[in-house]
């Protein structure tokens, strides 16, 4: 990603702050979200300052590199590919923001999980598996990590391994049924 990633967060003059320590940086987070990360920016329908949500998303991730919801929006923007709001020339791809997030806080399992989600959706299963495994090491009790890892394992045709996660998750009342459906559709749900 090289050149596209080079300028993320430079000359912003605000931050960077750690989203996992948001209570410590509550004032800064409120300022950034109030001005740059509203519902329209998060849902990629419109920016806070202009029609394009890209600049607000970029500002948010420059100030809070591991802002989980903003990273998710960057992933969604990346997966939309070309739209009226997005050009790879104008904004770095989500991979850049995710690389910066995991570099900024290498102990933030959620950022690794989000990186895995993007890589999985791009069909890069082996790389996604590495990100999910790192997230699992950092947050071994996070059901969202286990769920997404289970989904990947089904995609990688490892249903027995996915079933281990599914049984634990659904045994503990996990609400999302996508993993169960994938296992059922592949004939592996008991």
């Amino acid at each position: 990603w090289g050149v596209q990633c080079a300028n993320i967060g430079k000359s912003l003059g605000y931050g960077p702050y750690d989203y996992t320590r948001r209570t410590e940086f509550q004032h800064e987070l409120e300022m950034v979200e109030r001005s740059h990360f509203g519902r329209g920016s998060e849902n990629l329908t419109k920016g806070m300052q202009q029609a394009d949500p890209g600049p607000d998303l970029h500002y948010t991730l420059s100030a809070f590199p591991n802002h989980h919801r903003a990273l998710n929006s960057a992933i969604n923007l990346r997966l939309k590919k070309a739209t009226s709001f997005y050009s790879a020339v104008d904004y770095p791809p989500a991979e850049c923001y995710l690389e910066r997030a995991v570099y900024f806080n290498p102990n933030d399992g959620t950022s690794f999980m989000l990186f895995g989600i993007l890589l999985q959706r791009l069909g890069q299963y082996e790389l996604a598996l590495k990100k999910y495994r790192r997230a699992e090491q950092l947050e071994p009790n996070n059901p969202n990590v286990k769920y997404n890892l289970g989904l990947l394992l089904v995609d990688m045709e490892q249903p027995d391994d996915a079933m281990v996660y599914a049984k634990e998750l659904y045994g503990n009342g996990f609400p999302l049924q996508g993993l169960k459906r994938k296992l059922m559709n592949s004939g592996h749900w008991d």
Side-chain angles (χ1 to χ4, degrees), residues 146-171:
K146 293 176 184 191
Y147 177 76
N148 285 291
L149 179 51
L151 291 171
L152 174 66
L153 291 168
V154 174
D155 288 347
M156 295 179 76
E157 299 180 4
Q158 297 178 24
D160 293 336
D161 294 334
M163 186 63 98
V164 172
Y165 290 101
K167 285 183 178 183
E168 178 185 345
L169 288 165
Y170 297 122

Side-chain angles (χ1 to χ4, degrees), residues 71-92:
L71 287 169
N72 189 61
S73 295
I75 289 168
N76 291 330
L77 185 59
R78 166 69 168 88
L79 294 171
K80 278 185 159 185
K81 305 223 187 230
T83 70
S84 59
F85 288 137
Y86 178 68
S87 165
V89 174
D90 295 335
Y91 309 106

Side-chain angles (χ1 to χ4, degrees), residues 32-46:
V32 168
E33 288 183 343
R34 187 178 326 115
S35 298
H36 297 282
F37 195 68
R39 186 174 297 151
S41 299
E42 185 167 8
N43 295 326
L44 306 175
T45 56
K46 66 179 182 122

